[in-house]
Amino acid sequence: MASHRKWSPTGTRIAGIRTPALATAALTSVALLSQTANAAPSADPKPSIEEVEKKVDDLYHQAEAATEKYNATREKTAQQRKRVDSLLDDVARRTEKLNTAREELGSFAAAQYRTGASAPDTATLLLADNPQDYFDQTQLMDRLTSRQKVAVDDYITEQAATTKKRAEASQSLQTLTTTQSALKTSKADVQRKLAAARDLLSKLTAEEKARLAAIEKKKQEAADRKAAELAQQQAAAEKKAQEAAAQQQTTTGTSGSSTTDSSYTAKADKALAFARTQVGKPYVWGATGPGSYDCSGLTQAAWKAAGVDLPRTTWDQVNVGTTVPLADIKPGDLVFFYDDISHVGLYVGNGMMIHAPKPGAYVREESIFYGGESIIHSVVRPA
């Protein structure tokens, strides 16, 4: 038979009192906490300037992507608002027309009852969902003239159309409300990203800011060298094409085809002329000018000055026109960046572009390699 031992807590005794093991552990924890409190507090290691720079760049990139989402939603909201306003105006006009027609139908009923024994129930007619039912129920339909019957039929048709328009307006209002909520969310997302970037930069010391500026200068110098290389390559290719055209003319007596579309060049010159006058204006997310721009707002405005309407966002602009190899890039072409196509600039030649870079910066001319060749997504000729 198994023995049954009564459980008794183990531990030490203090002044005749048994101290459970749990209490002993608690006392030990208190002692350790006291030692920790007396020691120097531990903290996460401070990120390097390179890590801060990368984090800030990432946040600005995320903010640009969120800006394009905001731009798309705002454009959608504007379109939906126009539709709602149009539907509501249409419903108002139709309702007024129906009220007039309903009163006319009431006069028909009154006229028919003048020879009858009872008074016309005009109030019932005015509230009836279907005036034909009213006339049928009161046995008036057979007594109406042809013109009056046509009026009843027209009223019924118009009433059905008005009911349908009211339903469309109601649905459009619900859709607009949903889109406006999404717009608010997109706006808050941009603001959070920008606030996080500003917070990181605000914590830098003067020395760290100087080191960050040196890093940016080094990146810019590398980008400028890359732009110069592209310009040399293009110049060599252009010279070779001209020599080939001259050779063809000498051999066949016919001039070679031009490597440049004169119509496109004329439009591109207008777009570039506009863009150059915007240099120095601030980047403001969601802005389309004339005092400030975001990246796609600037390219849209520049090409509009040349008579070409581009969509609002980078995601739509990249699908307009013809995609060309980077080696064949020409002034006026749009250069898109990042896998998510969240940035765009207007190529001016010699490896340079005009673009609205990021919050806190201004519209400027800069190498298309400002972030390295790897971030260039594509080149599009929009016209």
Side-chain angles (χ1 to χ4, degrees), residues 237-354:
E238 183 67 21
K239 182 179 179 180
K240 186 175 181 180
Q242 290 174 354
E243 291 174 349
Q247 180 66 28
Q248 179 182 357
Q249 185 175 9
T250 301
T251 304
T252 64
T254 59
S255 60
S257 60
S258 173
T259 58
T260 302
D261 185 339
S262 59
S263 175
Y264 178 75
T265 300
K267 293 176 182 178
D269 287 344
K270 291 180 180 179
L272 290 170
F274 177 90
R276 289 189 176 99
T277 64
Q278 311 311 308
V279 171
K281 293 183 179 180
Y283 175 104
V284 174
W285 65 274
T288 56
S292 58
Y293 297 89
D294 62 17
C295 65
S296 56
L298 176 63
T299 51
Q300 182 188 49
W303 269 103
K304 186 174 181 61
V308 177
D309 290 326
L310 294 182
R312 176 64 183 93
T313 70
T314 54
W315 303 325
D316 291 326
Q317 289 181 10
V318 75
N319 295 318
V320 175
T322 305
T323 300
V324 298
L326 180 61
D328 296 335
I329 190 171
K330 297 184 183 301
D333 290 350
L334 301 178
V335 189
F336 295 91
F337 299 87
Y338 304 107
D339 291 338
D340 59 2
I341 320 175
S342 57
H343 188 66
V344 63
L346 185 68
Y347 189 67
V348 299
N350 296 321
M352 306 295 284
M353 67 177 173
I354 294 175

